[in-house]
Amino acid sequence: MHEYTSTARVWGLTCPGFPEEVSRARRWTRDILRGSPLADDAALIVSELSANAILHTASGRHSGSFHLALAISPQMVALSVTDDGGTGQAPKVEHQDQDAEHGRGLSMVNALAHRVVVHDSDGAHTVTAELFTGVRPGSHPC
């Protein structure tokens, strides 16, 4: 393989920070992953990450936005959501009691994905969830 060639395909979408854009992000993800056994999990992950960006960061404020990136390779599907920042702290998995109405989104993403990584860049955050093809959540690809 040539050093500048990749088998990964990458898509991007920037959405205004309106709540109705979460369903658009979910549909976009399902359309790209149509026919993949990972489509439903990926759509749910994108819904959670997009909703978190709108609810908890400047993405949900006037003229805010969030950006989605979807990368597909033979080994994995990687879903990233980048927010507009404004929170001062990175998203983290919180363990809520069963009666809590909020705070379980990243825990669910963590349970569905094989790996979740949070990057901080100039106050904005990118949460990337990776789903390995042919591997069940909680197991290791090797």
Side-chain angles (χ1 to χ4, degrees):
M1 177 189 296
H2 189 274
E3 68 179 300
Y4 298 111
T5 327
S6 171
T7 57
R9 296 183 68 195
V10 180
W11 289 262
L13 176 69
T14 299
C15 298
F18 304 127
E20 58 270 18
E21 292 297 312
V22 173
S23 63
R24 176 179 173 212
R26 186 174 47 248
R27 281 190 314 274
W28 178 80
T29 302
R30 277 201 181 113
D31 285 348
I32 292 170
L33 293 173
R34 183 168 293 142
S36 167
L38 299 174
D40 288 338
D41 286 350
L44 184 55
I45 288 169
V46 163
S47 291
E48 286 299 322
L49 296 180
S50 300
N52 283 351
I54 292 169
L55 290 171
H56 303 296
T57 75
S59 294
R61 295 185 191 146
H62 179 69
S63 68
S65 63
F66 61 96
H67 181 77
L68 298 153
L70 174 59
I72 302 172
S73 75
Q75 299 81 24
M76 119 176 28
V77 172
L79 309 144
S80 298
V81 175
T82 302
D83 63 42
D84 281 347
T87 63
Q89 59 183 337
K92 64 181 187 244
V93 175
E94 295 181 9
H95 301 285
Q96 300 291 340
D97 66 40
Q98 64 185 19
D99 296 329
E101 292 184 22
H102 300 286
R104 292 193 190 101
L106 272 182
S107 293
M108 184 178 60
V109 168
N110 198 43
L112 288 170
H114 294 96
R115 185 167 82 147
V116 177
V117 179
V118 179
H119 295 281
D120 185 12
S121 176
D122 296 325
H125 302 96
T126 300
V127 180
T128 301
E130 297 174 350
L131 299 167
F132 299 126
T133 57
V135 180
R136 291 186 167 171
S139 64
H140 298 282
C142 300

